[in-house]
Amino acid sequence: MAQLDLMTSIPYLARSPVYEREKPYQMDHTVHRPDGIGFANHELERHPITVLDIRNRQKPSIERNGFCIVKANTTLSADQASNARTPAMSKYLDEIERLLYREFPEYSRIEVLDWGIRKRSPDYPAKIDNDAVFEQPAALPHSDFSTRGAFLHLSEAFPGQEKHFADKDYDLINVWRVLVGPNNDWPLAMLDFQSVNIKNDVLPNDCLHYSSVGENQILHSSKDHKWYYLSAQEETELLLFRNADSKGARACAYHAAVENTLNTGPPRQSIE
């Protein structure tokens, strides 16, 4: 299959002096306040990027690049994908757990934290429906958790059990695949960890939910960033990437959904 590099653009966080006095934040719910505080304090700038097709290039490594590609047959179809833990979802999550034990034999225990399904509306990104049943593509470059955010998320997922993981070494791994392939619609672009200057490019970002607070990481632009994606991704091609680790010492994968103006296929459907 021929390589299909993309020319597109993504919304990076601006290098604004506001972040010398304010921490970036965003909310996922509506707040009515008289002081005019906004949904987010993100000042964004679109920057053109080239997203290289990973096909027929050097195989990426989760330890070196923050992500890898694994081929596997799983049973979940687009029609079966659900936000509820149905029998079909339980079977799929068991398959993913077995896959992770096979790919990462060094792990002594693997737990499913949660999952998310994205089915792009034909109106996205011109119109974003916050009440949609399924999430839309996430175009802001980010990692889902910082090191602190990983601990907060574990504490929320396993309340009262902090003593069992507070001093443990752990990773938060995302297993991402399309539900209908081949897919070229708003593919997931992965940033090579080797091209990131953590001190200069990365900022922690507060994620303010209705009943909890999390923390992820978002990015400033850099000419050194190297982005990759998998063209015509099939259902059997899984992207595995590290979102965070307990020590903040290992390669992680910042990522973003990117527009592919040459796509003629149906809207993307994916699970992570």
Side-chain angles (χ1 to χ4, degrees), residues 28-46:
D28 63 3
H29 58 284
T30 302
V31 175
H32 299 288
R33 288 182 48 154
D35 56 9
I37 189 170
F39 167 80
N41 67 345
H42 294 170
E43 296 182 13
L44 304 177
E45 296 176 338
R46 295 202 72 87

Side-chain angles (χ1 to χ4, degrees), residues 239-261:
L239 282 169
L240 274 61
F241 56 94
R242 182 183 290 113
N243 264 311
D245 71 273
S246 56
K247 300 181 182 300
R250 292 186 281 275
C252 67
Y254 304 98
H255 51 281
V258 293
E259 185 175 16
N260 178 6
T261 58

Side-chain angles (χ1 to χ4, degrees), residues 161 266 268:
Q161 301 186 48
R268 188 190 93 192

